[in-house]
Amino acid sequence: MPLDKPYLDVPGTTIFDADQSRKGYWLNQFCMSLMQAANRERYLADRRAYLDEWPMSEAQKQAVLDGDLNRCIALGGNIYFLAKIGATHGKSFQQMAGSMTGMTEAEYRDMMIAGGRSPEGNRFVGEQGSAQPQRQPQGHGSGRLFD
């Protein structure tokens, strides 16, 4: 019996709860493997072959190959684990966050320095604020971390 999850109505936000944790277990384990230099070297030498060693879904593997961090999160990835992918590719967390919002690193930095997005219009799905799903790259094929 599923739990009531009123937090699913937060625009542009995937909450990492127990269901997401179960869904992304192997994706997150793969990410943690990148903490070891030998594994990073193997992954960078042949990303697909390394990913195929993990019992992840094909969608998870493709999201990693595409550098689509928003898709990784939707498929159970935790941003703190996914940061290992960015670091492996020489990307900062700020670069990662920018890619996830469809902004350049500089645009993202400037937005955050200015106080971030306003909560006005962004408290629940259906409002007209800047963080609403229709104004975000999630699920629209943009927001890639690398090519």
Side-chain angles (χ1 to χ4, degrees):
M1 176 175 166
L3 298 174
D4 180 35
K5 296 182 178 185
Y7 54 80
L8 295 179
D9 198 26
V10 179
T13 303
T14 301
I15 305 297
F16 189 77
D17 62 7
D19 291 334
Q20 285 296 101
S21 178
R22 278 188 293 278
K23 184 173 21 173
Y25 179 80
W26 288 111
L27 170 58
N28 293 316
Q29 290 298 305
F30 150 75
C31 292
M32 289 302 292
S33 78
L34 298 176
M35 291 181 64
Q36 295 182 0
N39 290 339
R40 289 192 299 273
E41 290 171 15
R42 289 179 50 231
Y43 165 73
L44 290 172
D46 188 340
R47 295 185 318 161
R48 182 63 204 214
Y50 189 75
L51 287 169
D52 283 341
E53 295 177 18
W54 296 89
M56 296 188 287
S57 71
E58 184 57 35
Q60 289 170 325
K61 292 175 186 180
Q62 194 59 54
V64 171
L65 291 169
D66 291 343
D68 188 341
L69 299 176
N70 289 322
R71 185 79 180 124
C72 286
I73 287 175
L75 295 169
N78 179 295
I79 190 59
Y80 297 105
F81 296 124
L82 296 173
K84 277 98 176 119
I85 297 172
T88 297
H89 287 276
K91 305 295 183 180
S92 70
F93 201 85
Q94 185 169 287
Q95 288 171 307
M96 292 175 61
S99 78
M100 294 170 71
T101 60
M103 299 178 191
T104 66
E105 179 184 6
E107 289 169 334
Y108 178 79
R109 179 198 62 232
D110 293 345
M111 177 193 67
M112 295 306 290
I113 288 172
R117 288 193 175 118
S118 169
E120 295 304 316
N122 293 311
R123 290 188 176 92
F124 59 87
V125 172
E127 292 183 313
Q128 294 305 311
S130 62
Q132 292 293 311
Q134 69 271 16
R135 297 189 179 166
Q136 297 302 304
Q138 292 92 328
H140 301 294
S142 61
R144 307 262 190 249
L145 181 60
F146 50 84
D147 296 318

